[in-house]
Amino acid sequence: MNNVTWLKGTLLDWTKREGNPSLPPDPEKQQTANMERDQRLAVLGFMLLLMFIYHMNAARQTILHRQVWQQARDNFTLIRRNIKERRHRRKTRMANYEMLLTLHRQRARSMWVNPRPCSWWQHINTNWSDTDWQRNFRMKFETFQHLCNILRPSLTRQSTRYREPVPVELRVAICLWRLATNLEYRSISHLFGVGISTACQITQEVVTSLNRQMRDQYIKTPSEMELKAIVMGYRDKWRFPQVAGAIDGTHIGILAPADHPADYYNRKGFYSVLLQAVVDHKMKFWDINVGWPGKVHDARVFANSSLFYRGQDGTLFPEWTEQFDGVDVPLLILGDAAYPLLPWLLKPFPEGRGLTQAQTHFNHRLSQARMTVERAFGRLKGRWRCLLKRCDAHISLMSHIITACCILHNYCEVHNEQWEDEDAEVGGQADEADNPHQAQHARHIRDALCAYFSH
């Protein structure tokens, strides 16, 4: 019998006793019964209290057990979820790695260099004569080697474990062949055994190296000793005194640029940039101005050049004068009708019916002496055919290419590399100087020289 059943029986028995009216009312027994009842009620209350406390503790333990179990179940669920996520991430990483490995295997180079035949370059190095080298590379083999030695510091590339760099000699030869023939890079690639992009890059690198390392040496204003030699050269060859050079401009054909193409369309009917040059008696350039659009007149190019500013400031030449017919004649540059008449720049008398015999003779003598610049342009374009026909290089590279060709022209002339294929060009006309005093002084100088030639 459990505690609850016993308590129920005790209460029922006590109730029957208390409620039986047949028993006699005995005071002592009544007192004893009351004491027993109180004791039983106290015991019963205490037992009920214990049972209540027990059940409360049991309920609390049950709740705690349930919370612990729920926490354990949540932790287990979280652990299982983390394990699944880690497995999924691991599978994703492995799949990505396999995909990248597959792509790398597909894109991996089978070779670092596409094997190309180099037998032609080896053949010309061993079998060509100086005449062959001069005809094709515009210079003898010894002159070519000297040029390679000048450019070697800036063109030498580092060797790596993947492949050997292109030799300096081959780099210079590719550039010279391109400038001399204006051949497309695809054909140059087949000839020299390099890639098309490699041939293009090498040409640009050599052109840049020529401009950086050789321009200051081969294109510069003559020194006093060089000026004396130039003046004596013009005097001895053409009997024209006080001449320090001849000036003219020429058009270099280009592709129509994307920006402002109309500015480059010249009066001759093609797109071009202008090259203004001053040459000495040996047809070497000592001043150039490159890059003006072909639509611009020669006189405007001249008026915006550093040559004009130095001439006007009196810093271009030393103050060497020679007197003719009572007029002090300074050092002069000879130009055609496209240039203004200045005290230091001489142009011919305007053509017309009023021209005297002396003036006609003067114009003829001036034209003979000034032909050095025309012949220099012809020799320049004859050597470097990229300037003779349309050059397909980008407009941003044209100035560098033209300057490099002028440098190479002077280099060949210094080393006495002869070239006979020359073309002459004719310029336009321009007005005289805007300054009346300068114009009057220039006319006096021209008249004095005209009188000198008529004697």
Side-chain angles (χ1 to χ4, degrees), residues 333-358:
I333 294 177
L334 304 181
D336 61 7
Y339 293 94
L341 182 62
L342 298 170
W344 54 275
L345 194 151
L346 209 59
K347 62 182 287 186
F349 288 98
E351 298 290 340
R353 293 183 179 180
L355 211 62
T356 64
Q357 185 177 359

PDB file of all heavy atoms in Angstrom, residues 333-358:
ATOM      1  N   ILE A 333      70.755  80.920 -94.521  1.00  0.00           N
ATOM      2  CA  ILE A 333      70.128  79.656 -94.895  1.00  0.00           C
ATOM      3  C   ILE A 333      69.376  79.905 -96.190  1.00  0.00           C
ATOM      4  O   ILE A 333      68.668  80.909 -96.325  1.00  0.00           O
ATOM      5  CB  ILE A 333      69.178  79.147 -93.794  1.00  0.00           C
ATOM      6  CG1 ILE A 333      69.964  78.787 -92.539  1.00  0.00           C
ATOM      7  CG2 ILE A 333      68.395  77.934 -94.271  1.00  0.00           C
ATOM      8  CD1 ILE A 333      69.090  78.334 -91.377  1.00  0.00           C
ATOM      9  N   LEU A 334      69.503  79.014 -97.132  1.00  0.00           N
ATOM     10  CA  LEU A 334      68.827  79.150 -98.420  1.00  0.00           C
ATOM     11  C   LEU A 334      67.511  78.405 -98.402  1.00  0.00           C
ATOM     12  O   LEU A 334      67.443  77.246 -97.985  1.00  0.00           O
ATOM     13  CB  LEU A 334      69.722  78.604 -99.541  1.00  0.00           C
ATOM     14  CG  LEU A 334      71.117  79.203 -99.668  1.00  0.00           C
ATOM     15  CD1 LEU A 334      71.849  78.573-100.842  1.00  0.00           C
ATOM     16  CD2 LEU A 334      71.051  80.712 -99.811  1.00  0.00           C
ATOM     17  N   GLY A 335      66.446  79.100 -98.851  1.00  0.00           N
ATOM     18  CA  GLY A 335      65.135  78.491 -98.932  1.00  0.00           C
ATOM     19  C   GLY A 335      64.486  78.773-100.265  1.00  0.00           C
ATOM     20  O   GLY A 335      64.955  79.609-101.044  1.00  0.00           O
ATOM     21  N   ASP A 336      63.373  78.105-100.522  1.00  0.00           N
ATOM     22  CA  ASP A 336      62.653  78.354-101.770  1.00  0.00           C
ATOM     23  C   ASP A 336      61.578  79.398-101.536  1.00  0.00           C
ATOM     24  O   ASP A 336      61.543  80.073-100.500  1.00  0.00           O
ATOM     25  CB  ASP A 336      62.076  77.049-102.326  1.00  0.00           C
ATOM     26  CG  ASP A 336      61.090  76.407-101.362  1.00  0.00           C
ATOM     27  OD1 ASP A 336      60.755  77.031-100.336  1.00  0.00           O
ATOM     28  OD2 ASP A 336      60.655  75.269-101.625  1.00  0.00           O
ATOM     29  N   ALA A 337      60.674  79.544-102.515  1.00  0.00           N
ATOM     30  CA  ALA A 337      59.657  80.591-102.440  1.00  0.00           C
ATOM     31  C   ALA A 337      58.644  80.372-101.328  1.00  0.00           C
ATOM     32  O   ALA A 337      57.875  81.277-101.005  1.00  0.00           O
ATOM     33  CB  ALA A 337      58.940  80.684-103.786  1.00  0.00           C
ATOM     34  N   ALA A 338      58.623  79.194-100.735  1.00  0.00           N
ATOM     35  CA  ALA A 338      57.658  78.924 -99.665  1.00  0.00           C
ATOM     36  C   ALA A 338      58.021  79.608 -98.361  1.00  0.00           C
ATOM     37  O   ALA A 338      57.180  79.702 -97.460  1.00  0.00           O
ATOM     38  CB  ALA A 338      57.555  77.417 -99.435  1.00  0.00           C
ATOM     39  N   TYR A 339      59.232  80.122 -98.228  1.00  0.00           N
ATOM     40  CA  TYR A 339      59.703  80.689 -96.966  1.00  0.00           C
ATOM     41  C   TYR A 339      59.791  82.211 -97.061  1.00  0.00           C
ATOM     42  O   TYR A 339      59.961  82.769 -98.142  1.00  0.00           O
ATOM     43  CB  TYR A 339      61.067  80.097 -96.612  1.00  0.00           C
ATOM     44  CG  TYR A 339      60.986  78.625 -96.304  1.00  0.00           C
ATOM     45  CD1 TYR A 339      61.228  77.671 -97.301  1.00  0.00           C
ATOM     46  CD2 TYR A 339      60.629  78.184 -95.041  1.00  0.00           C
ATOM     47  CE1 TYR A 339      61.124  76.327 -97.021  1.00  0.00           C
ATOM     48  CE2 TYR A 339      60.525  76.840 -94.748  1.00  0.00           C
ATOM     49  CZ  TYR A 339      60.771  75.905 -95.746  1.00  0.00           C
ATOM     50  OH  TYR A 339      60.655  74.576 -95.467  1.00  0.00           O
ATOM     51  N   PRO A 340      59.698  82.904 -95.937  1.00  0.00           N
ATOM     52  CA  PRO A 340      59.802  84.372 -95.944  1.00  0.00           C
ATOM     53  C   PRO A 340      61.242  84.821 -96.148  1.00  0.00           C
ATOM     54  O   PRO A 340      62.195  84.082 -95.853  1.00  0.00           O
ATOM     55  CB  PRO A 340      59.288  84.757 -94.554  1.00  0.00           C
ATOM     56  CG  PRO A 340      59.586  83.573 -93.698  1.00  0.00           C
ATOM     57  CD  PRO A 340      59.415  82.375 -94.578  1.00  0.00           C
ATOM     58  N   LEU A 341      61.392  86.026 -96.650  1.00  0.00           N
ATOM     59  CA  LEU A 341      62.713  86.616 -96.841  1.00  0.00           C
ATOM     60  C   LEU A 341      63.139  87.274 -95.536  1.00  0.00           C
ATOM     61  O   LEU A 341      62.498  88.203 -95.042  1.00  0.00           O
ATOM     62  CB  LEU A 341      62.676  87.644 -97.973  1.00  0.00           C
ATOM     63  CG  LEU A 341      64.000  88.318 -98.329  1.00  0.00           C
ATOM     64  CD1 LEU A 341      65.010  87.282 -98.822  1.00  0.00           C
ATOM     65  CD2 LEU A 341      63.772  89.402 -99.373  1.00  0.00           C
ATOM     66  N   LEU A 342      64.239  86.785 -94.955  1.00  0.00           N
ATOM     67  CA  LEU A 342      64.745  87.273 -93.680  1.00  0.00           C
ATOM     68  C   LEU A 342      66.226  87.596 -93.823  1.00  0.00           C
ATOM     69  O   LEU A 342      66.890  87.111 -94.750  1.00  0.00           O
ATOM     70  CB  LEU A 342      64.551  86.218 -92.588  1.00  0.00           C
ATOM     71  CG  LEU A 342      63.106  85.809 -92.275  1.00  0.00           C
ATOM     72  CD1 LEU A 342      63.090  84.600 -91.358  1.00  0.00           C
ATOM     73  CD2 LEU A 342      62.340  86.967 -91.650  1.00  0.00           C
ATOM     74  N   PRO A 343      66.788  88.413 -92.914  1.00  0.00           N
ATOM     75  CA  PRO A 343      68.220  88.712 -92.993  1.00  0.00           C
ATOM     76  C   PRO A 343      69.106  87.473 -92.909  1.00  0.00           C
ATOM     77  O   PRO A 343      70.246  87.492 -93.355  1.00  0.00           O
ATOM     78  CB  PRO A 343      68.451  89.650 -91.805  1.00  0.00           C
ATOM     79  CG  PRO A 343      67.126  90.281 -91.551  1.00  0.00           C
ATOM     80  CD  PRO A 343      66.118  89.231 -91.869  1.00  0.00           C
ATOM     81  N   TRP A 344      68.596  86.401 -92.316  1.00  0.00           N
ATOM     82  CA  TRP A 344      69.394  85.175 -92.203  1.00  0.00           C
ATOM     83  C   TRP A 344      68.817  84.027 -93.038  1.00  0.00           C
ATOM     84  O   TRP A 344      69.335  82.904 -92.975  1.00  0.00           O
ATOM     85  CB  TRP A 344      69.504  84.752 -90.736  1.00  0.00           C
ATOM     86  CG  TRP A 344      68.168  84.618 -90.038  1.00  0.00           C
ATOM     87  CD1 TRP A 344      67.459  85.617 -89.444  1.00  0.00           C
ATOM     88  CD2 TRP A 344      67.390  83.425 -89.884  1.00  0.00           C
ATOM     89  NE1 TRP A 344      66.281  85.130 -88.926  1.00  0.00           N
ATOM     90  CE2 TRP A 344      66.221  83.781 -89.180  1.00  0.00           C
ATOM     91  CE3 TRP A 344      67.561  82.101 -90.267  1.00  0.00           C
ATOM     92  CZ2 TRP A 344      65.235  82.864 -88.861  1.00  0.00           C
ATOM     93  CZ3 TRP A 344      66.585  81.177 -89.946  1.00  0.00           C
ATOM     94  CH2 TRP A 344      65.436  81.558 -89.250  1.00  0.00           C
ATOM     95  N   LEU A 345      67.749  84.291 -93.804  1.00  0.00           N
ATOM     96  CA  LEU A 345      67.157  83.275 -94.684  1.00  0.00           C
ATOM     97  C   LEU A 345      66.936  83.910 -96.048  1.00  0.00           C
ATOM     98  O   LEU A 345      66.186  84.895 -96.178  1.00  0.00           O
ATOM     99  CB  LEU A 345      65.843  82.742 -94.111  1.00  0.00           C
ATOM    100  CG  LEU A 345      65.289  81.468 -94.747  1.00  0.00           C
ATOM    101  CD1 LEU A 345      64.473  80.678 -93.730  1.00  0.00           C
ATOM    102  CD2 LEU A 345      64.410  81.770 -95.957  1.00  0.00           C
ATOM    103  N   LEU A 346      67.545  83.370 -97.054  1.00  0.00           N
ATOM    104  CA  LEU A 346      67.510  83.935 -98.388  1.00  0.00           C
ATOM    105  C   LEU A 346      66.605  83.104 -99.273  1.00  0.00           C
ATOM    106  O   LEU A 346      66.666  81.867 -99.257  1.00  0.00           O
ATOM    107  CB  LEU A 346      68.933  83.960 -98.972  1.00  0.00           C
ATOM    108  CG  LEU A 346      69.246  85.064 -99.997  1.00  0.00           C
ATOM    109  CD1 LEU A 346      69.038  86.442 -99.381  1.00  0.00           C
ATOM    110  CD2 LEU A 346      70.688  84.909-100.493  1.00  0.00           C
ATOM    111  N   LYS A 347      65.745  83.783-100.036  1.00  0.00           N
ATOM    112  CA  LYS A 347      64.851  83.127-100.986  1.00  0.00           C
ATOM    113  C   LYS A 347      65.038  83.764-102.362  1.00  0.00           C
ATOM    114  O   LYS A 347      65.557  84.890-102.481  1.00  0.00           O
ATOM    115  CB  LYS A 347      63.400  83.252-100.525  1.00  0.00           C
ATOM    116  CG  LYS A 347      62.912  84.695-100.440  1.00  0.00           C
ATOM    117  CD  LYS A 347      61.486  84.775 -99.933  1.00  0.00           C
ATOM    118  CE  LYS A 347      60.503  84.317-100.994  1.00  0.00           C
ATOM    119  NZ  LYS A 347      59.108  84.529-100.583  1.00  0.00           N
ATOM    120  N   PRO A 348      64.615  83.134-103.447  1.00  0.00           N
ATOM    121  CA  PRO A 348      64.806  83.698-104.789  1.00  0.00           C
ATOM    122  C   PRO A 348      63.886  84.894-105.049  1.00  0.00           C
ATOM    123  O   PRO A 348      62.890  85.105-104.341  1.00  0.00           O
ATOM    124  CB  PRO A 348      64.485  82.526-105.710  1.00  0.00           C
ATOM    125  CG  PRO A 348      63.595  81.653-104.910  1.00  0.00           C
ATOM    126  CD  PRO A 348      64.034  81.775-103.483  1.00  0.00           C
ATOM    127  N   PHE A 349      64.224  85.645-106.063  1.00  0.00           N
ATOM    128  CA  PHE A 349      63.340  86.723-106.502  1.00  0.00           C
ATOM    129  C   PHE A 349      62.046  86.121-107.045  1.00  0.00           C
ATOM    130  O   PHE A 349      62.055  85.036-107.642  1.00  0.00           O
ATOM    131  CB  PHE A 349      64.019  87.552-107.607  1.00  0.00           C
ATOM    132  CG  PHE A 349      65.137  88.404-107.115  1.00  0.00           C
ATOM    133  CD1 PHE A 349      66.455  87.984-107.224  1.00  0.00           C
ATOM    134  CD2 PHE A 349      64.883  89.644-106.537  1.00  0.00           C
ATOM    135  CE1 PHE A 349      67.498  88.772-106.782  1.00  0.00           C
ATOM    136  CE2 PHE A 349      65.930  90.447-106.101  1.00  0.00           C
ATOM    137  CZ  PHE A 349      67.231  90.015-106.213  1.00  0.00           C
ATOM    138  N   PRO A 350      60.919  86.798-106.828  1.00  0.00           N
ATOM    139  CA  PRO A 350      59.655  86.279-107.360  1.00  0.00           C
ATOM    140  C   PRO A 350      59.709  86.159-108.879  1.00  0.00           C
ATOM    141  O   PRO A 350      60.182  87.056-109.584  1.00  0.00           O
ATOM    142  CB  PRO A 350      58.629  87.324-106.914  1.00  0.00           C
ATOM    143  CG  PRO A 350      59.265  88.041-105.780  1.00  0.00           C
ATOM    144  CD  PRO A 350      60.737  88.030-106.046  1.00  0.00           C
ATOM    145  N   GLU A 351      59.228  85.045-109.377  1.00  0.00           N
ATOM    146  CA  GLU A 351      59.229  84.815-110.816  1.00  0.00           C
ATOM    147  C   GLU A 351      58.204  85.729-111.490  1.00  0.00           C
ATOM    148  O   GLU A 351      57.113  85.954-110.977  1.00  0.00           O
ATOM    149  CB  GLU A 351      58.902  83.347-111.112  1.00  0.00           C
ATOM    150  CG  GLU A 351      59.916  82.358-110.549  1.00  0.00           C
ATOM    151  CD  GLU A 351      61.246  82.414-111.282  1.00  0.00           C
ATOM    152  OE1 GLU A 351      61.266  82.919-112.427  1.00  0.00           O
ATOM    153  OE2 GLU A 351      62.262  81.974-110.711  1.00  0.00           O
ATOM    154  N   GLY A 352      58.566  86.243-112.663  1.00  0.00           N
ATOM    155  CA  GLY A 352      57.649  87.115-113.405  1.00  0.00           C
ATOM    156  C   GLY A 352      58.355  87.778-114.567  1.00  0.00           C
ATOM    157  O   GLY A 352      59.556  87.595-114.797  1.00  0.00           O
ATOM    158  N   ARG A 353      57.613  88.608-115.289  1.00  0.00           N
ATOM    159  CA  ARG A 353      58.177  89.264-116.471  1.00  0.00           C
ATOM    160  C   ARG A 353      59.182  90.351-116.101  1.00  0.00           C
ATOM    161  O   ARG A 353      60.065  90.674-116.873  1.00  0.00           O
ATOM    162  CB  ARG A 353      57.056  89.883-117.302  1.00  0.00           C
ATOM    163  CG  ARG A 353      56.143  88.845-117.936  1.00  0.00           C
ATOM    164  CD  ARG A 353      55.104  89.530-118.810  1.00  0.00           C
ATOM    165  NE  ARG A 353      54.234  88.550-119.460  1.00  0.00           N
ATOM    166  CZ  ARG A 353      53.230  88.868-120.280  1.00  0.00           C
ATOM    167  NH1 ARG A 353      52.983  90.171-120.529  1.00  0.00           N
ATOM    168  NH2 ARG A 353      52.493  87.933-120.829  1.00  0.00           N
ATOM    169  N   GLY A 354      59.031  90.946-114.916  1.00  0.00           N
ATOM    170  CA  GLY A 354      59.915  92.042-114.549  1.00  0.00           C
ATOM    171  C   GLY A 354      61.268  91.605-114.035  1.00  0.00           C
ATOM    172  O   GLY A 354      62.045  92.432-113.538  1.00  0.00           O
ATOM    173  N   LEU A 355      61.577  90.324-114.097  1.00  0.00           N
ATOM    174  CA  LEU A 355      62.830  89.812-113.564  1.00  0.00           C
ATOM    175  C   LEU A 355      63.987  90.173-114.502  1.00  0.00           C
ATOM    176  O   LEU A 355      63.937  89.906-115.706  1.00  0.00           O
ATOM    177  CB  LEU A 355      62.741  88.291-113.410  1.00  0.00           C
ATOM    178  CG  LEU A 355      63.552  87.662-112.278  1.00  0.00           C
ATOM    179  CD1 LEU A 355      63.075  88.176-110.925  1.00  0.00           C
ATOM    180  CD2 LEU A 355      63.388  86.139-112.315  1.00  0.00           C
ATOM    181  N   THR A 356      65.024  90.785-113.963  1.00  0.00           N
ATOM    182  CA  THR A 356      66.189  91.154-114.770  1.00  0.00           C
ATOM    183  C   THR A 356      67.076  89.936-115.001  1.00  0.00           C
ATOM    184  O   THR A 356      66.905  88.876-114.354  1.00  0.00           O
ATOM    185  CB  THR A 356      67.000  92.248-114.078  1.00  0.00           C
ATOM    186  OG1 THR A 356      67.530  91.731-112.855  1.00  0.00           O
ATOM    187  CG2 THR A 356      66.138  93.465-113.782  1.00  0.00           C
ATOM    188  N   GLN A 357      68.052  90.132-115.878  1.00  0.00           N
ATOM    189  CA  GLN A 357      68.957  89.027-116.173  1.00  0.00           C
ATOM    190  C   GLN A 357      69.799  88.690-114.960  1.00  0.00           C
ATOM    191  O   GLN A 357      70.070  87.514-114.685  1.00  0.00           O
ATOM    192  CB  GLN A 357      69.852  89.398-117.356  1.00  0.00           C
ATOM    193  CG  GLN A 357      70.758  88.256-117.810  1.00  0.00           C
ATOM    194  CD  GLN A 357      71.579  88.626-119.037  1.00  0.00           C
ATOM    195  OE1 GLN A 357      71.455  89.749-119.560  1.00  0.00           O
ATOM    196  NE2 GLN A 357      72.408  87.698-119.513  1.00  0.00           N
ATOM    197  N   ALA A 358      70.208  89.715-114.209  1.00  0.00           N
ATOM    198  CA  ALA A 358      70.994  89.481-112.996  1.00  0.00           C
ATOM    199  C   ALA A 358      70.185  88.732-111.949  1.00  0.00           C
ATOM    200  O   ALA A 358      70.695  87.824-111.276  1.00  0.00           O
ATOM    201  CB  ALA A 358      71.488  90.813-112.436  1.00  0.00           C
TER     202      ALA A 358
END
